Amino acid sequence: MGRLISAEFRKILTTKMWWALLIPTVALAALWSIGGNALIGAVLDQINNNTVVAQLRLDFNHLPWSTLIFARTVNISAIFPIVFGALALSSEINRRTITTSYLTAPNRGSLLTAKLITYAVWGLVFGVVISAVASIGMLIASRPEQLPDAVSWLEIAASGVVSCMLWTLLGMGVGALFGSPIASIISLLLYTLLVENLIGSLLPGNWPGILINGSADGLTGSVASQLVVAKVPNIGGLMTGEAQTLFSDLIRTAAGARGAFDWWISGLIFAAWAGVFAVGGWLMSKTRDIT
């Protein structure tokens, strides 16, 4: 197994795909992180200059707003780990190079398992890169009083890394099921960027959190929103009761976690989705006719 995993890493590193996807990943994450944190600062300036807010003595500055942008950055930038995973098997199947891989491995099962392990590690790499860029952008554009503490940062960063790994495995499973790079990528992007958003907007309560996107966004978004919501009582003495509840709901929506469950429940749901597609793709590839 070790030799198969090493061979998969060499195969990836000798192609342009990994860095061709990693470069736009960094660019998109930087754009969202810096731009989003700068935008929040500008919006807060407008809110603080509002006469009503001043009269009510509400303080919106000392909240970890940057965590919301962190979650959004991870969720948006995850399109690249998705594409990376989708190409894992579909490109080899499409080019028929998977035949040589099967012939050089003891059996199909061991080769496919090695690929799953390899791409899980690469998913973690993408997650670490995205989280690092989001963190740097947060430090550059966010105000000190809106930054999370060290423990909170570790929580949101860890959720982002895990999310990217699961997206990579899910994309890999979809690619194996379709066997076509174009069909896999178009289907994944169309569903994640359009179809589920339309479905989720029609569903009440926690139903959006059961869907693929909803659970993935909930993994990071729930962590971010909980960090902000925990500070809501500090906004001001008049921010109580229904106002706090309404504000908390708005924060969850802003973090991309509308209808999401707690982070660990969302993580389990998303892991289940990733597992279903990864195992389904594994089984399909194990029995697929490659002649």
Side-chain angles (χ1 to χ4, degrees), residues 9-54:
F9 272 102
R10 285 196 300 271
K11 187 184 300 182
I12 293 171
L13 291 172
T14 53
T15 65
K16 301 176 181 179
M17 181 177 68
W18 68 274
W19 59 261
L21 287 174
L22 206 55
I23 290 174
T25 300
V26 170
L28 182 61
L31 179 65
W32 265 87
S33 184
I34 295 174
N37 281 292
L39 178 62
I40 279 189
V43 171
L44 285 176
D45 285 340
Q46 295 295 322
I47 293 175
N48 291 328
N49 292 331
N50 185 278
T51 304
V52 176
V53 172

Side-chain angles (χ1 to χ4, degrees), residues 1-289:
M1 182 61 70
R3 291 181 179 179
L4 290 175
I5 294 174
S6 298
E8 289 300 319
F9 272 102
R10 285 196 300 271
K11 187 184 300 182
I12 293 171
L13 291 172
T14 53
T15 65
K16 301 176 181 179
M17 181 177 68
W18 68 274
W19 59 261
L21 287 174
L22 206 55
I23 290 174
T25 300
V26 170
L28 182 61
L31 179 65
W32 265 87
S33 184
I34 295 174
N37 281 292
L39 178 62
I40 279 189
V43 171
L44 285 176
D45 285 340
Q46 295 295 322
I47 293 175
N48 291 328
N49 292 331
N50 185 278
T51 304
V52 176
V53 172
Q55 290 176 345
L56 293 176
R57 297 180 180 180
L58 300 178
D59 180 16
F60 291 97
N61 281 321
H62 294 81
L63 294 176
W65 294 106
S66 57
T67 58
L68 301 184
I69 302 302
F70 195 111
R72 284 293 193 177
T73 299
V74 171
N75 294 338
I76 293 296
S77 302
I79 61 173
F80 293 106
I82 294 173
V83 172
F84 185 77
L87 293 173
L89 275 167
S90 63
S91 59
E92 286 200 59
I93 294 170
N94 187 61
R95 295 173 182 175
R96 303 287 182 178
T97 56
I98 192 70
T99 304
T100 304
S101 299
Y102 283 151
L103 292 175
T104 56
N107 54 70
R108 288 193 181 190
S110 59
L111 175 69
L112 295 171
T113 301
K115 283 184 175 293
L116 281 173
I117 295 172
T118 301
Y119 279 86
V121 173
W122 273 101
L124 292 175
V125 170
F126 271 89
V128 169
V129 170
I130 292 171
S131 295
V133 174
S135 300
I136 294 171
M138 187 169 63
L139 291 173
I140 292 173
S142 184
R143 297 170 184 177
E145 64 271 18
Q146 293 158 15
L147 293 172
D149 56 38
V151 174
S152 299
W153 173 81
L154 284 174
E155 290 176 357
I156 187 69
S159 68
V161 172
V162 172
S163 177
C164 288
M165 181 197 69
L166 293 175
W167 270 124
T168 304
L169 293 178
L170 188 146
M172 183 181 179
V174 172
L177 288 170
F178 277 98
S180 165
I182 296 177
S184 304
I185 293 172
I186 291 177
S187 298
L188 281 165
L189 295 183
L190 189 63
Y191 177 81
T192 55
L193 298 177
L194 179 62
V195 175
E196 185 174 314
N197 288 325
L198 293 175
I199 296 173
S201 65
L202 301 175
L203 297 176
N206 291 115
W207 283 102
I210 300 176
L211 303 177
I212 299 174
N213 251 4
S215 56
D217 291 349
L219 176 56
T220 52
S222 290
V223 173
S225 61
Q226 286 170 11
L227 293 174
V228 176
V229 169
K231 302 287 186 179
V232 169
N234 298 335
I235 292 177
L238 296 178
M239 194 71 172
T240 57
E242 294 183 1
Q244 283 194 15
T245 301
L246 177 61
F247 185 74
S248 298
D249 291 340
L250 291 174
I251 292 300
R252 280 187 169 273
T253 302
R258 188 188 75 83
F261 299 91
D262 286 342
W263 67 269
W264 64 275
I265 299 178
S266 295
L268 289 175
I269 295 173
F270 187 37
W273 280 114
V276 166
F277 283 99
V279 172
W282 188 90
L283 293 173
M284 174 69 78
S285 298
K286 192 175 181 181
T287 57
R288 188 190 299 271
D289 182 8

